Amino acid sequence: MEALSPLGIGGLLFAVFFVLLLIGCPIMVALGVGTMVCFIILDIDLSMMIERAFASLTAFPLMALPAFVLAGALMEASGISRRLVAVAEAFVGPIPGGLAISTVLSCVFFGAISGSGPATTAAVGMLMIPAMTKRGYNTAYAAATTATAGGIGIIIPPSIPMVIYGVTGQVSISKMFMAGFIPGFLIALSLCVLHYFKCRKANLGGDSWSLRHLLHTIKDGFWSILAPLIILGGIYAGLFTPTEAAIVAIFYTLFVGIFIHRELKFRAFMASLNTTSWLTGRVLVLVFTATAFGYLLTSYRIPVELANWVLSFTNNVYMVWFFVVVLLIFLGMFMETLAIIMLVTPVLLPIMTAYGVDPIHFGLILICCCGIGFSTPPLGENMFIASGISNQSLEIISLKAMPMVFANLLAIIILVAFPSLVMFLPNMMTVAAP
């Protein structure tokens, strides 16, 4: 079987993978079995698959994954997320669509802590969906607002998917974090502008604005506001790596929750550990099988062959970008974000770099597209969370979310057309890559 060409091996690998997906196998099983089949056919010792996959789990940057998950869960339990939402509401004031806009801003604040789209949606949605409904907003619209804004949680650093992309693509995680700022705020701005015009037309105003109330919420949320500043400031000042920053975030949250806010109880602490163990275990199993899958791809130069094949069709980088974005949006409808990143990075990254695209730029667009995937059915994790909180059907929420999804797409098109928006801050970085 060694006579198989790289494209033949790739065809066999993906054929087994997709057949297993179609019959309902979990994606981690499909990745692992597809790789095993190819190893057996190519007469490669299966122990090599285990060694390569296990080595990936010992990568130092990957240690940030459980730490950031735990930090986000603890910050919700300690009252930090609730205070950040209050600050966002106080800033918006009487602007039309004020609560919808403050929901977006709250997702930006919480995303700068949790690094997770579903966690951001759950934390903000529990507070904002009932509040918007009481103020006269359509409940499904409130749920759609939270679900689509929750996707910003993986774009604003620190971001769990950015850590996974950095490990998978051998890209600086610090630079990926820095690259997320402008795109994250651009997507947030696009959503805020949409909500402003839609709510002004529906005559949905915000709260009365008060400087005294704003100063009070800032004072009450002072320690909460410091959290993202300490985490991100420490990374960009070179005081610690993203992995070390995640540990700092945990201890800072414990300090604030126990000694400042005094809201972090033992039961909530244990629930946070349980959430972290469950989510981290699920992700690491996926990383295990996806790494073996990626090893087979790179060993037989399958991405290089695909890149050469694509290059033979067109030299227009924007045409390639169009197909890549469409593919990522499509995959986001059916696959989990981390699975998409680990599956497409070994395949698409060499193709895009062959067209002169910076790996940081590609990674950011990849993660932005995955952010849309959180709010597009049938998988759409954020939609399910918002549906559970609001008691609205997934179909109704999805319909209300369509304009917001298009606003996100418009922001992604701008980021594709103007790479300098993504690369401006990373190019200014002096922090050494981890």
Side-chain angles (χ1 to χ4, degrees), residues 413-432:
I413 291 171
I414 293 172
L415 294 171
V416 168
F418 300 98
S420 58
L421 291 175
V422 176
M423 299 304 302
F424 176 73
L425 293 178
N427 288 339
M428 295 178 63
M429 278 193 64
T430 56
V431 179

Side-chain angles (χ1 to χ4, degrees), residues 38-397:
C38 288
F39 267 57
I40 292 170
I41 290 177
L42 294 169
D43 198 24
I44 301 175
D45 190 347
L46 288 178
S47 64
M48 178 66 71
M49 174 181 171
I50 305 299
E51 290 173 9
R52 293 290 178 175
F54 182 77
S56 70
L57 300 183
T58 61
F60 179 69
L62 198 59
M63 292 173 60
L65 171 63
F68 275 128
V69 172
L70 178 57
L74 290 174
M75 286 179 180
E76 184 178 356
S78 62
I80 289 179
S81 61
R82 175 169 52 81
R83 287 170 171 82
L84 289 175
V85 169
V87 171
E89 288 182 354
F91 266 109
V92 172
I95 298 174
L99 279 182
I101 293 173
S102 65
T103 298
V104 176
L105 296 179
S106 299
C107 288
V108 171
F109 286 147
F110 193 75
I113 296 173
S114 72
S116 166
T120 300
T121 302
V124 175
M126 291 293 291
L127 299 169
M128 297 305 297
I129 292 176
M132 292 175 70
T133 302
K134 289 179 181 178
R135 303 290 177 85
Y137 287 77
N138 179 280
T139 305
Y141 182 85
T145 297
T146 308
T148 50
I152 300 174
I154 67 170
I155 302 169
I156 294 290
S159 163
I160 293 171
M162 285 185 186
V163 173
I164 299 300
Y165 174 76
V167 173
T168 305
Q170 299 298 302
V171 177
S172 167
I173 297 173
S174 296
K175 288 187 176 181
M176 283 298 300
F177 280 5
M178 186 65 87
F181 274 108
I182 293 177
F185 284 109
L186 177 63
I187 290 175
L189 177 63
S190 68
L191 291 173
C192 289
V193 170
L194 174 69
H195 291 310
Y196 173 81
F197 285 106
K198 286 182 72 68
C199 293
R200 187 177 69 170
K201 186 177 180 180
N203 199 27
L204 289 169
D207 293 330
S208 58
W209 192 83
S210 167
L211 179 61
R212 183 177 180 181
H213 176 63
L214 175 61
L215 294 176
H216 174 74
T217 56
I218 291 177
K219 180 182 178 182
D220 184 50
F222 174 76
W223 294 95
S224 301
I225 296 171
L226 275 184
L229 295 180
I230 291 173
I231 296 168
L232 299 175
I235 294 173
Y236 303 137
L239 299 178
F240 34 72
T241 67
T243 302
E244 294 164 345
I247 307 302
V248 171
I250 291 173
F251 282 98
Y252 178 83
T253 304
L254 290 173
F255 173 77
V256 173
I258 296 173
F259 298 106
I260 306 296
H261 294 163
R262 298 181 180 179
E263 296 181 17
L264 184 58
K265 306 301 180 184
F266 181 75
R267 181 175 293 181
F269 175 75
M270 295 305 295
S272 299
L273 290 178
N274 182 57
T275 299
T276 303
S277 300
W278 173 78
L279 181 59
T280 303
R282 186 183 69 171
V283 171
L284 290 182
V285 171
L286 185 58
V287 171
F288 187 91
T289 55
T291 301
F293 189 90
Y295 167 72
L296 191 62
L297 288 175
T298 53
S299 295
Y300 285 86
R301 297 174 53 84
I302 296 170
V304 176
E305 294 295 329
L306 284 173
N308 292 333
W309 181 71
V310 173
L311 284 167
S312 68
F313 283 94
T314 177
N315 291 320
N316 190 328
V317 66
Y318 293 108
M319 183 64 67
V320 177
W321 264 124
F322 172 77
F323 288 112
V324 166
V325 170
V326 170
L327 172 64
L328 294 175
I329 298 297
F330 176 76
L331 291 177
M333 297 170 65
F334 302 97
M335 293 173 61
E336 291 181 325
T337 295
L338 300 184
I340 295 173
I341 292 171
M342 289 183 283
L343 178 64
V344 307
T345 298
V347 178
L348 294 183
L349 183 55
I351 294 176
M352 300 311 294
T353 53
Y355 279 88
V357 176
D358 191 283
I360 300 291
H361 185 209
F362 169 73
L364 211 288
I365 299 299
L366 166 61
I367 289 168
C368 287
C369 291
C370 289
I372 291 181
F374 281 124
S375 50
T376 52
L379 182 60
E381 293 175 77
N382 288 5
M383 295 299 234
F384 283 104
I385 293 171
S387 176
I389 296 172
S390 63
N391 290 321
Q392 297 289 306
S393 72
L394 191 64
E395 293 79 8
I396 296 175
I397 297 175

